[in-house]
Amino acid sequence: MSLLAAAMFAYRYILRATLALASSYGSAAATCAPSPVPIIIGNSTLSNNQVARGLQLSIGDPPQQFVFLPQWPLNNTFVYGTNGHCAVVAPACTTRRGGAYDMLASKSRSVTDKSSYPFDSAPFPPTSFVSDTLSLGKELSLSGFPLGIPLNDWGAEDYHPMNAVGLGDNSTLLTTLKSTGKIVSRAWSMFWGRNGALASAQLNGIFVLGGYDKAKTQGRPHSFPLADSTARCPTRMMITISDMILNFSNGTNASLFPRAASNAIQACIVPDYPVLMTLPLDPYFSRFEDLTNQSLQDRSLGLVYFANRYSSNSNVYTGDLTINFQPGFSVRIPNDQLVVPHRQINPNTGEITTNATGPDLVIISTQDVNKDDITQLGRQFLSAAYLMANLDANEFTLWEANPTETQQLVAVDESNADIASVCDANPPPPVTRPDGGGGSLSSGHIAGIAVAAVAFTAIVCAIVFVWRRRHRRRSAALGVRGPSTSNQGGLADKPSSPYGYNDGVPYQRSELPGLGEQVYKSHQAADKLPAPETGQRGESQPHELQG
């Protein structure tokens, strides 16, 4: 093999290896996803200088601070305005709702295209729409996002009082984030945090879009299908309670359930509901009163709206509550999240005050006209459980919660599988491989490939130049004539390599798609052309996502 032929062979080999590396990188990139979007659940100072707890979001320019809670089957996001429509006086209303949006004060507000949002019917209030910048924490803002402004009060506002993020099947927020590549699936997850009386019983929660916070989970996950949209559960997250156990502080336990399998309870998880759960009076809540030797006839009209309330601080239950679910999942509600101080909003100032006597048991006993209502598990349930729902996979997942400030965000795909790696926040446009496959390369990889190819080409050219120069000198010293400049082809210095020439006749060159090898087609004597070495065009193989 001549020196030039060997050099060309080496060039093609390195080029194939380089492209294979690029192909491998493109395939590996398909296993990464945008980082999930975390939103803190905690106390935020509102426009009335008072504090409320919820998802910390801001709207407009300059940003106005709010707290929100999720809502179902609502699809849009709505924020209450400054124009009243509230059953209580203004200062208390602003705190109760998590802020009041002043659209005239926002320089980024604009008119909304009606095609940019779906229609939400009853039970939600009628709304007028504007577009404005919605900031989801410090890292991400959505400009021109459609926001509804309710035009009146609505009947469910005592139980769902706050500005609302719609997470229904056609959620504007989830659809916008996914369609713009901010999240990889329409998944969300929530840990309410801890909201007890003492500092040791308080912890911010987190709401994650596009995945979950693995640090706040423990044990194995338990996944369930979302119920049909015709179910009595507006969130479609239904689960069966098989037992409820009082864990007394003296170490003894007692079940609230009669010993019969038929007494299992179907429950609906409603993450913004203001209490731990609703519970039928007969027989479950009555048994709680019997076992704890206490009658709870009072009701709270504060933040844990309509929960059963102790009339004094005497004989208050001091133990925990364990809830068992089918199949084999359980959570334990600590006493500092089960029995909490009575908190209410001062109607004149909007300040949240605490009553030192008569704490709230965060359970609503249902009876009379509500005795057949489906049991609801509310936000205090998510102090002990971590919840994720994935609209694309049509399922939801529960873990036992791990109350910690540590954060470990994990994206999930449309099949609800974990995606191990995070893509660049601002990825470059995709680069199509020569074989037509997908994948993308960063600018650094592209530059590296280009530099390597140019450098190697220069080396090959230098080798050929030096070899030819030495070859001519040796030929001159030996008296050997080179090729005639007056041959029939009118060509000078026919190279010894068969590539590019055949008996002095030039070949037409074209690129072989996918490998960059040169194929030569002779105008004559084509049967004398050595067959070019071709490699196999690799097809990109799907990478299994690690769950």
Side-chain angles (χ1 to χ4, degrees), residues 502-526:
N502 188 30
D503 293 336
V505 180
Y507 293 97
Q508 183 180 1
R509 299 184 177 184
S510 63
E511 293 296 318
L512 178 65
L515 295 176
E517 296 142 346
Q518 293 178 329
V519 179
Y520 306 97
K521 297 180 180 179
S522 176
H523 293 291
Q524 57 183 355

Side-chain angles (χ1 to χ4, degrees), residues 459-478:
I459 292 172
V460 170
C461 293
I463 292 173
V464 172
F465 176 79
V466 172
W467 180 85
R468 290 181 62 187
R469 187 173 181 180
R470 291 181 177 176
H471 180 71
R472 287 178 180 176
R473 288 178 177 175
R474 285 198 301 269
S475 298
L478 296 173

Side-chain angles (χ1 to χ4, degrees), residues 46-48 52 81 86 88-100 163 350:
L46 309 175
S47 58
N48 62 351
C86 190
V88 297
V89 294
C93 191
T94 299
T95 303
R96 184 188 194 196
R97 290 173 164 178
N163 303 310

Side-chain angles (χ1 to χ4, degrees), residues 300-382:
S300 171
L301 299 180
L303 298 185
V304 288
Y305 187 79
F306 219 60
N308 289 74
R309 182 183 176 189
Y310 289 92
S311 58
S312 68
N313 288 341
S314 62
N315 206 24
V316 174
Y317 178 60
T318 58
D320 299 342
L321 173 66
T322 296
I323 307 177
N324 294 334
F325 300 91
Q326 296 177 358
F329 173 65
S330 67
V331 295
R332 181 163 173 156
I333 315 298
N335 183 265
D336 58 16
Q337 306 301 305
L338 180 64
V339 181
V340 301
H342 177 70
R343 299 183 180 98
Q344 59 188 6
I345 302 173
N346 184 307
N348 297 316
T349 65
E351 180 184 8
I352 296 176
T353 60
T354 301
N355 191 327
T357 61
D360 296 329
L361 176 72
V362 290
I363 295 176
I364 296 176
S365 66
T366 53
Q367 59 204 63
D368 299 331
V369 296
N370 301 112
K371 65 179 181 179
D372 295 325
D373 290 354
I374 188 170
T375 293
Q376 300 189 63
L377 294 167
R379 58 190 183 225
Q380 297 289 349
F381 170 64
L382 298 183

